[in-house]
């Protein structure tokens, strides 16, 4: 069972918890991008389509580890433009419990490993 904490004296998070703890097995999911099963980019130039594919990939990776988004304690978002964050949040909110969201960090980066990749997300879970 995970515990979601928002410590007194810390400003409330916008769709994330400041602290998530729990007992269990640690699972680290490598950064996922908007590739389909064949390695083709989904949603070229479309941050919403890329975000949706990223979260579908994260779900598949979590399932492979015997986990679900309910086990996720931390998400790290890397975007090439912070203007993509609303699309990322829409995709995220379709997968996570918005009443008890995981901790998260969002970072704008100069580039990801290919210029057509707009978003990369990595996850940490406790099962």
């Amino acid at each position: 069972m995970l515990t979601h904490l928002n410590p007194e004296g810390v400003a409330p998070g916008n769709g994330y918890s400041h602290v998530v703890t729990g007992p269990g097995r640690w699972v680290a999911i490598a950064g996922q991008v908007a590739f389909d099963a064949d390695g083709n980019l989904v949603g070229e130039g479309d941050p919403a389509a890329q975000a949706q594919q990223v979260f579908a990939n994260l779900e598949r990776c979590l399932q492979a580890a015997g986990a679900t988004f309910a086990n996720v304690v931390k998400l790290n978002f890397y975007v090439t433009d912070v203007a993509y964050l609303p699309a990322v949040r829409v995709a995220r909110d379709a997968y996570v419990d918005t009443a008890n969201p995981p901790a998260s960090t969002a970072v704008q980066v100069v580039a990801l490993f290919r210029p057509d990749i707009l978003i990369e997300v990595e996850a940490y879970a406790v099962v």
Side-chain angles (χ1 to χ4, degrees):
M1 172 129 210
L2 299 179
T3 303
H4 297 77
L5 305 169
N6 289 298
E8 187 175 322
V10 178
N14 180 12
Y16 64 90
S17 299
H18 283 288
V19 180
V20 182
T21 65
R25 178 174 50 90
W26 180 254
V27 176
I29 306 295
Q32 295 297 303
V33 297
F35 288 153
D36 65 14
D38 296 321
N40 299 309
L41 179 65
V42 173
E44 185 169 350
D46 183 347
Q50 287 197 22
Q52 183 61 265
Q53 183 65 41
V54 165
F55 275 87
N57 290 348
L58 286 168
E59 183 174 54
R60 288 180 188 96
C61 292
L62 288 163
Q63 288 172 346
T68 70
F69 273 96
N71 302 110
V72 172
V73 296
K74 180 82 183 333
L75 292 169
N76 293 329
F77 303 99
Y78 305 95
V79 295
T80 57
D81 188 331
V82 294
Y84 303 152
L85 287 176
V88 172
R89 289 182 185 120
V90 167
R92 174 202 62 197
D93 290 353
Y95 286 87
V96 304
D97 175 0
T98 58
N100 290 299
S104 70
T105 298
V107 180
Q108 180 173 314
V109 295
V110 172
L112 292 166
F113 72 97
R114 275 182 31 183
D116 51 356
I117 303 292
L118 307 176
I119 299 161
E120 185 168 340
V121 181
E122 60 188 13
Y124 299 95
V126 176
V127 181

